[in-house]
Amino acid sequence: MAGETVITVVGNLVDDPELRFTPSGAAVAKFRVASVPRTFNKETNAWEDAKDGLFLTCSVWRQAAEHVAESLQRGMRVIVQGRLKQRSYEDREGVKRTVYELDVDEVGPSLKSATAKVTKVSSSGSGGQGQARGQAQGQGQQGAPADDPWASGAPASASAGGGWGSGAQGGGGAYAGDEPPF
């Protein structure tokens, strides 16, 4: 929508995501991200955290909320993109407060100093049934996992006459979903 402030924040989860459900059954996960800038101190020859950081409350909805609650935990470094919202309220003492929150559109682990194994879940929300998993065949690479589509230079199904998506027809392709892998 026009006029919304979309931002990307990189930081660490302050606590585990908290998954709740609305009365209508929609899932919502709330979590806080701490983004603390680091600077290099030439005198000490070391990196130092800034004294003040950004602590931002984030909320993500529906299927993504369930994925966040299942996949992320306190201390993980994440990349979060969403729409920045401002909300004002009065606290118990009658003092007017303003908070900034992030309505999350995209979230994922930072791979700068970690690894992740991604499992695509079908869009029907079946929770694991019909997951898009390809079966790479004939890679001939020593030590490479049999289901690793990136172990060779070309998609595993290229030798079978198929390309991306041919696995859905039983061609053994590296991608077996109904949408492209990108």
Side-chain angles (χ1 to χ4, degrees), residues 26-90:
V28 60
K30 286 196 169 240
F31 56 93
R32 289 188 312 141
V33 174
S35 181
V36 181
R38 302 188 92 199
T39 56
F40 188 75
N41 184 334
K42 292 181 182 179
E43 295 173 6
T44 62
N45 201 30
W47 288 94
E48 296 176 353
D49 291 336
K51 293 183 182 12
D52 293 327
L54 172 68
F55 288 80
L56 197 55
T57 299
C58 304
S59 59
V60 61
W61 290 81
R62 298 175 188 76
Q63 187 80 34
E66 295 181 38
H67 294 169
V68 164
E70 182 179 320
S71 304
L72 302 177
Q73 59 189 0
R74 178 179 186 243
M76 286 184 165
R77 189 150 185 87
V78 294
I79 303 167
V80 183
Q81 183 178 43
R83 292 161 279 122
L84 190 63
K85 302 287 183 181
Q86 175 181 320
R87 183 172 55 89
S88 297
Y89 67 96
E90 278 191 26

Side-chain angles (χ1 to χ4, degrees), residues 94-179:
V95 177
K96 189 168 184 171
R97 305 260 183 202
T98 301
V99 294
Y100 296 93
E101 300 172 329
L102 191 63
D103 285 342
V104 175
D105 294 321
E106 299 285 341
V107 59
S110 170
L111 301 180
K112 187 174 183 179
S113 59
T115 61
K117 180 154 178 76
V118 178
T119 304
K120 182 171 177 3
V121 178
S122 68
S123 59
S124 66
S126 61
Q129 296 176 347
Q131 291 180 353
R133 294 185 183 179
Q135 193 69 13
Q137 299 174 352
Q139 291 182 6
Q141 300 258 339
Q142 196 74 329
D147 63 347
D148 184 359
W150 304 112
S152 66
S157 62
S159 62
W164 291 111
S166 65
Q169 289 81 28
Y175 180 76
D178 58 352
E179 51 187 49

